[in-house]
Amino acid sequence: MRARYPDVFDRPASARLATPAMIVAAFAILIYGLVDLDFSPSRFVAGLSQLGWIGRMMIPPDPGSSLPVYLKALGETLSIALLGTTLAAIFALPVSLLAARNVVASKILRFPVRRVLDSIRGVDTLIWALVWINVVGLGPFAGVLAIAVADFGAFGKLFSEAIEGADQKQVEGIRASGGSALHEIRFGLLPQVLPVIAGQVLYFIESNTRSATIIGIVGAGGIGLQLAEQIRVLEWQKVSFLILMILVAVAAIDFISSKLRFAIIGRRAIA
Amino acid sequence: MTVAVSILPEQQLAVLNAAYRQAVARRRWRLFLGTVVFAAALFLAAVGAEVNLRTLFTYFGNFVSYFDRILTLDSGQRVWTDVGEWLWGWRKWLKMLAETLLISYVGTLIGATFAFILNFFAAENTSPAPWLRFVVRRLLEFARTVPGIVFALVFVIAFGLGPMAGVLAIAIHSTGALGKLFSEIVENADMKPVEGIRSTGASWLACMRFAVVPQVTAGYASYALLRFEINVREASVMGFVGAGGIGQELVVAIRKFYYSDVSAILLTIIVTVFVIDITTGWLRGRLFGKEARA
């Protein structure tokens, strides 16, 4: 066998060593990183025992007497996610048309639009939340605006990709029958991309429930505010209860939005 | 050449038209109902989130002027007129940025390693026992659903302030996210090589090593790179809760109203994210060919 397939058995050293060399390099950087970020084993072990203690303190989860406050905060979080995502989708749709190659042919217009979207996307939601707190003050409204802006960047990109993926034949048909550019978009493009876009928006509402739970940490409303507060005052039973609430809420939203997505686009389109 | 357009008799047409109208009416009714429910939900949400349009309009000027302020130096000039003054702290910022990148690198690698170990237990076709699969899956789900920054908050208390808490938080979150994606790749792998190796009497470990891993490594590397990109963004805010990286500088600058510093730090973050996005995109293209990128 060795004689019949020489190149399987006698690979050159460079090919055989390439993978191990890459793995060694990756782990060398890891070790350097661990040293540079002051990972010391003693600190790690001490932290772990501390963590174990925290874990024991968390059981059983208990809201104490603040259950109504937490429920209200959860409602606030869901509201932030829903409103923020809707606002972002409404504003992103026209802009995404400008960023799509098959709608706007000139590169001069498309390029700046895309770079602006990229820049917005490069900044984390939490940073946007901090900026909006400076503008409208502490509270959930800042959270809504933060999510709206952060998602605007993401939606702009996703929508424009959906539009570029659309079939051009319908558009050509409408152009042939004498439709204007607006007609082309309204009757040729939108019917094709709306189901895709609706699916993405629903998916983002889902993932934004997660983001909305944390923007409270910087003071932009919702359940994250309660969570950060309880962690700071070391009320671990309340913390674990809040985490459980978040998990249940996210699971519920996951379930509802996947049902809705199936209803809108049909089961086949997702799989 | 003439084309005959067939004209249906009146009665037949009436039936078809009625059916058509009914179908359209039903669709419109459903759309209308959906819109009403959605609008009601939005209204409820607006009340819940204390949306106040008046605040927005009164303060919208603030939003615009905020950008005006962060683009102005203390001397009252625009930032780009004096780049040296604008980026005065670049040595410190670059160091913090390097720390951010290191946090996300170490976190991603640790997370990917754990995800690699766990995903074989979570995938339907390779898991040795159903109860084990159930446990591992719930574990991964938990690690994924709890936001990274919440882990960071807890770890800062357990491990003390500093990048260690950030790394561990990112590692746990990545384990959850990558574990799920990895196990999905394994579920799509071809099982025939596994059968072949099992028929030689090999153990479960050998089956995984020689039949599954060679099929899936490319997919793993691609997802891990994608995760690294996301983690860079996440590591940039870990500093908000004291878990190291450039976020610390940013939050101080924002809270203390050092306006031009805010824009300078934001600029470095955005540029870094761009560079990382482009590099990893290029790397994925190099490693796995054009199709793997799509």
Side-chain angles (χ1 to χ4, degrees):
Chain A
M1 210 133 96
R2 209 171 253 275
R4 275 168 71 189
Y5 302 103
D7 37 326
V8 175
F9 286 96
D10 295 324
R11 286 193 302 161
S14 63
R16 266 183 295 147
L17 288 179
T19 316
M22 262 161 65
I23 292 174
V24 166
F27 275 87
I29 302 178
L30 175 70
I31 301 296
Y32 168 75
L34 288 181
V35 173
D36 194 61
L37 301 174
D38 352 290
F39 265 67
S40 64
S42 63
R43 213 176 136 200
F44 189 69
V45 171
L48 274 189
S49 70
Q50 182 87 0
L51 209 57
W53 181 77
I54 290 174
R56 274 202 304 283
M57 294 293 285
M58 280 187 173
I59 297 168
D62 178 19
S65 55
S66 11
L67 185 60
V69 180
Y70 293 166
L71 284 178
K72 188 168 168 286
L74 188 65
E76 218 172 82
T77 295
L78 294 180
S79 309
I80 291 173
L82 182 67
L83 268 182
T85 320
T86 314
L87 274 177
I90 292 170
F91 285 107
L93 190 58
V95 176
S96 67
L97 286 171
L98 289 180
R101 194 178 312 135
N102 49 354
V103 179
V104 176
S106 88
K107 217 178 163 193
I108 305 161
L109 185 58
R110 222 172 348 114
F111 186 78
V113 171
R114 288 199 163 196
R115 289 297 85 78
V116 167
L117 289 176
D118 283 347
S119 314
I120 291 176
R121 222 151 10 94
V123 178
D124 197 274
T125 316
L126 273 184
I127 300 177
W128 281 117
L130 276 176
V131 170
W132 278 112
I133 286 172
N134 275 341
V135 176
V136 295
L138 288 169
F141 191 36
V144 172
L145 294 168
I147 290 218
V149 174
D151 275 18
F152 174 74
F155 276 150
K157 180 188 155 77
L158 286 173
F159 289 179
S160 71
E161 274 166 9
I163 291 168
E164 282 177 3
D167 196 349
Q168 276 304 105
K169 295 211 180 81
Q170 278 92 320
V171 179
E172 279 165 24
I174 286 161
R175 193 175 308 153
S177 67
S180 70
L182 274 182
H183 284 139
E184 281 168 28
I185 290 168
R186 166 67 187 84
F187 297 103
L189 275 178
L190 282 189
Q192 287 187 63
V193 295
L194 269 185
V196 181
I197 287 179
Q200 278 165 348
V201 171
L202 276 170
Y203 178 75
F204 262 77
I205 290 184
E206 203 177 301
S207 79
N208 277 338
T209 326
R210 260 166 260 213
S211 325
T213 54
I214 58 169
I215 52 178
I217 288 172
V218 298
I223 203 162
L225 189 64
Q226 306 291 337
L227 188 62
E229 229 158 64
Q230 299 309 326
I231 290 179
R232 287 200 183 114
V233 298
L234 310 180
E235 287 272 5
W236 295 111
Q237 291 188 329
K238 289 185 181 172
V239 171
S240 58
F241 185 79
L242 282 166
I243 292 179
L244 273 182
M245 271 176 84
I246 294 176
L247 289 179
V248 170
V250 169
I253 299 276
D254 268 8
F255 179 76
I256 295 170
S257 83
S258 75
K259 282 268 140 101
L260 268 179
R261 261 191 298 164
F262 285 144
I264 291 177
I265 6 184
R267 201 162 274 274
R268 278 223 344 269
I270 290 178
Chain B
M1 200 175 98
T2 53
V3 179
V5 176
S6 57
I7 292 172
L8 292 172
E10 204 55 44
Q11 282 165 316
Q12 219 174 334
L13 204 61
V15 174
L16 289 176
N17 262 337
Y20 175 73
R21 274 200 205 99
Q22 215 173 16
V24 168
R26 208 179 306 131
R27 240 188 92 111
R28 289 219 171 115
W29 175 239
R30 257 171 63 189
L31 188 67
F32 173 74
L33 218 63
T35 318
V36 167
V37 169
F38 187 62
L42 274 189
F43 179 75
L44 263 180
V47 173
E50 298 165 23
V51 167
N52 191 337
L53 285 181
R54 193 175 321 138
T55 333
L56 180 63
F57 283 119
T58 350
Y59 292 114
F60 195 76
N62 279 9
F63 182 65
V64 179
S65 75
Y66 190 75
F67 283 95
D68 180 55
R69 264 174 288 161
I70 66 172
L71 293 176
T72 311
L73 288 174
D74 285 341
S75 58
Q77 279 181 312
R78 283 280 166 237
V79 286
W80 45 81
T81 53
D82 190 353
V83 174
E85 175 68 31
W86 185 30
L87 300 174
W88 64 274
W90 63 275
R91 265 175 232 276
K92 188 172 62 173
W93 294 333
L94 280 188
K95 232 182 101 207
M96 298 303 266
L97 211 56
E99 189 178 279
T100 305
L101 289 182
L102 212 54
I103 289 174
S104 41
Y105 176 81
V106 174
T108 314
L109 198 57
I110 296 177
T113 313
F114 276 107
F116 178 74
I117 297 168
L118 288 176
N119 81 84
F120 297 110
F121 301 107
E124 207 147 335
N125 48 353
T126 57
S127 185
W131 66 269
L132 195 61
R133 192 179 81 218
F134 182 80
V135 170
V136 171
R137 282 209 171 175
R138 290 297 89 74
L139 214 63
L140 291 176
E141 221 162 73
F142 173 77
R144 183 167 71 234
T145 313
V146 178
I149 205 144
V150 173
F151 280 122
L153 267 173
V154 175
F155 289 166
V156 162
I157 289 171
F159 294 93
L161 285 170
M164 193 175 184
V167 170
L168 292 174
I170 287 191
I172 287 201
H173 198 71
S174 303
T175 307
L178 286 176
K180 177 195 155 87
L181 293 170
F182 283 5
S183 70
E184 275 168 10
I185 305 180
V186 168
E187 280 171 5
N188 282 329
D190 189 0
M191 288 306 277
K192 292 212 185 83
V194 180
E195 282 165 25
I197 287 178
R198 194 178 298 144
S199 70
T200 65
S203 66
W204 181 82
L205 208 62
C207 285
M208 293 304 119
R209 165 68 188 82
F210 294 104
V212 180
V213 169
Q215 289 186 59
V216 294
T217 36
Y220 281 4
S222 175
Y223 276 132
L225 275 175
L226 206 67
R227 193 72 225 170
F228 176 62
E229 251 174 74
I230 300 170
N231 283 345
V232 171
R233 241 162 274 188
E234 193 153 326
S236 70
V237 297
M238 281 293 169
F240 287 11
V241 297
I246 190 134
Q248 206 125 23
E249 289 289 307
L250 183 66
V251 82
V252 167
I254 292 181
R255 291 249 159 92
K256 292 194 172 164
F257 306 105
Y258 296 156
Y259 289 112
S260 63
D261 285 12
V262 173
S263 63
I265 297 174
L266 277 182
L267 181 81
T268 53
I269 292 179
I270 292 175
V271 168
T272 314
V273 169
F274 271 11
V275 171
I276 298 282
D277 276 9
I278 293 169
T279 324
T280 53
W282 173 81
L283 209 60
R284 276 208 301 279
R286 274 285 312 265
L287 285 176
F288 319 112
K290 278 268 178 209
E291 320 88 305
R293 265 171 104 176

